[in-house]
Amino acid sequence: MTERTEPREPVSNYVEALRRGVPFRDEQGALHYPTVRSRPQPGFTLDPVHRFLLTGSLVVSIGYTLWMVARIPSMPEQVPMHFSADGSVNRYGSPWEMLILACLSLAVIVGCVVLTRYPRIYNYGIGKVTEENIQAHYKNAVQMMVWLAFSLAVLHFTMLGSIAGDWPASPAIWFGMALMFGSAAFFILRMLKI
């Protein structure tokens, strides 16, 4: 599929910018990006800490899932499948059911990792995306996805280990949830200041 080769010059009419997928320059001269197609490519790289978190989240999640799948035949016929808020078991099931949870959780983690490559498609609806702040928005959003992937990897690790009986579900599950919601709140508040 080839991309359209229309001129990418900004226009001064917002409706025309939407129709053509190009930037819009307002009366004050500020450049806005009303569509995904009108946004520039990201011009930054992740720092080593965020690259490590992203790569580590993916590698550990895949590795731990494969290790758990290899352990399923040696598990008892019934394993804990659901836990209440205090960590007590309120449903048992076949260890093969763990595959469904593991695959869904792993798919979400892989999806977050893949999405870090495409910050142009994110929704930045809270604030205006302009020429001056577009790269800052990209970097903030990608860092948020890295922390989301890391938080989900912690939850993935905790859930599968709890089902296998390696450790209790609580308080580790609460740590993972706090990490996920706390990091999301931090990056959303930071986006409001950009």
Side-chain angles (χ1 to χ4, degrees):
M1 186 164 108
T2 59
E3 201 171 314
R4 295 169 67 184
T5 57
E6 273 184 39
R8 306 276 305 152
E9 291 299 314
V11 295
S12 57
N13 183 312
Y14 183 77
V15 175
E16 182 69 14
L18 284 174
R19 188 182 69 75
R20 291 180 42 204
V22 296
F24 163 70
R25 192 169 300 279
D26 65 17
E27 298 84 31
Q28 289 80 29
L31 194 61
H32 302 273
Y33 303 100
T35 65
V36 171
R37 283 189 328 158
S38 66
R39 294 178 184 163
Q41 291 294 330
F44 71 95
T45 57
L46 283 175
D47 58 276
V49 172
H50 285 94
R51 282 198 310 264
F52 175 77
L53 285 175
L54 189 64
T55 305
S57 300
L58 185 62
V59 169
V60 168
S61 297
I62 291 171
Y64 194 67
T65 301
L66 293 174
W67 186 62
M68 283 305 216
V69 169
R71 289 178 57 192
I72 288 176
S74 65
M75 288 183 185
E77 288 184 25
Q78 296 289 305
V79 294
M81 292 303 297
H82 194 270
F83 301 87
S84 62
D86 66 357
S88 61
V89 179
N90 56 16
R91 186 175 85 76
Y92 288 88
S94 166
W96 293 100
E97 286 182 48
M98 184 172 49
L99 283 176
I100 298 167
L101 175 66
C103 290
L104 289 174
S105 178
L106 192 58
V108 173
I109 293 166
V110 169
C112 288
V113 170
V114 169
L115 280 175
T116 62
R117 306 287 296 163
Y118 304 101
R120 284 180 65 192
I121 66 171
Y122 294 1
N123 183 357
Y124 301 99
I126 293 176
K128 287 187 177 180
V129 179
T130 65
E131 185 175 23
E132 290 79 31
N133 68 10
I134 186 78
Q135 296 299 326
H137 273 297
Y138 285 169
K139 187 172 185 177
N140 184 63
V142 168
Q143 288 177 347
M144 182 171 75
M145 291 303 289
V146 168
W147 281 96
L148 179 61
F150 176 69
S151 305
L152 290 171
V154 168
L155 289 171
H156 180 77
F157 192 78
T158 303
M159 289 185 300
L160 294 183
S162 299
I163 291 171
D166 294 342
W167 46 74
S170 187
I173 198 85
W174 293 111
F175 172 74
M177 297 290 280
L179 185 63
M180 181 173 62
F181 290 116
S183 61
F186 171 80
F187 287 105
I188 289 170
L189 288 173
R190 194 161 83 171
M191 180 173 57
L192 293 172
K193 295 177 183 177
I194 294 176

